[in-house]
Amino acid sequence: RITVDEIPAAGHSFQMDEGQPAFLDVLTEALEHDGAHRCSAEITIERRERRLHISGRIAGELSQACARCANEFAQPVERKVRAVLLLDPVGGDEEAELEAADMDESYLGGDVVDLLELVREQVLLALPHKPLCRADCRGLCPRCGVDLNLETCSCEDDTADPRLSVLAGLKIDES
């Protein structure tokens, strides 16, 4: 957390990595998974008039569970960080109209910038919605739970929906 008044005119740079407990806590909370995260963030904040320009980069590997087989794997992540925070409402008037350029900006409610929250948000945006250990992951057998990437199971491949079994006895007259 940094207060706006602490940001010098030349800007301020921050380095974060998984060795810092607060940063590691943010990664663990965002991913809902504590694992061997190897990630770093480089963030620069510059103050220009009534705006804060935030730029930087997040890169590394985050430990995730595969959505198909539930095995843990290292998910590469790399994301450029760009944000503009307004220090006061547009023109100081609550009824002012926003212009197209204002749509990429957010209003900073208060005088404190929470960099960890910004990093958490950017990490979540950098991750896929459905993390897969590999593109051709076969997942788990829905009946016995065997990891189909490692072995085959002896379950019958009955893909018919049991609710449609009544229709199996119907015959179609093709005359």
Side-chain angles (χ1 to χ4, degrees):
R1 295 178 153 236
I2 184 167
T3 60
V4 173
D5 294 336
E6 293 175 355
I7 301 170
H12 199 317
S13 294
F14 299 89
Q15 301 271 339
M16 296 177 246
D17 62 32
E18 73 279 354
Q20 297 165 317
F23 183 71
L24 184 59
D25 288 347
V26 165
L27 294 177
T28 301
E29 184 265 329
L31 300 168
E32 298 177 353
H33 177 72
D34 58 344
H37 306 301
R38 291 188 319 268
C39 187
S40 65
E42 300 167 3
I43 307 292
T44 301
I45 299 179
E46 297 174 342
R47 186 173 177 170
R48 299 183 201 152
E49 297 177 14
R50 299 299 301 159
R51 288 175 170 77
L52 295 179
H53 292 262
I54 302 172
S55 61
R57 180 175 168 265
I58 298 171
E61 291 183 342
L62 301 173
S63 179
Q64 288 212 276
C66 178
R68 290 185 187 157
C69 68
N71 288 324
E72 191 171 315
F73 73 101
Q75 174 74 54
V77 63
E78 185 163 344
R79 181 169 179 88
K80 288 184 181 182
V81 176
R82 298 249 185 265
V84 178
L85 300 176
L86 293 170
L87 297 179
D88 56 15
V90 179
D93 181 4
E94 292 181 30
E95 297 294 323
E97 269 191 53
L98 292 175
E99 296 178 13
D102 297 329
M103 299 310 252
D104 292 333
E105 300 175 346
S106 298
Y107 174 66
L108 178 64
D111 61 348
V112 176
V113 179
D114 188 347
L115 290 179
L116 290 173
E117 179 59 28
L118 176 81
V119 167
R120 184 186 80 75
E121 193 176 273
Q122 295 298 315
V123 164
L124 289 173
L125 290 170
L127 293 172
H129 294 291
K130 185 177 181 181
L132 298 176
C133 60
R134 60 182 201 236
D136 64 341
C137 178
R138 296 180 60 211
L140 303 175
C141 172
R143 290 207 172 100
C144 68
V146 165
D147 185 345
L148 298 174
N149 296 311
L150 303 175
E151 58 186 282
T152 57
C153 64
S154 58
C155 296
E156 293 180 26
D157 187 24
D158 182 16
T159 57
D161 187 338
R163 295 172 293 179
L164 301 176
S165 62
V166 173
L167 300 177
L170 293 177
K171 302 220 182 215
I172 299 174
D173 185 14
E174 296 184 23
S175 53

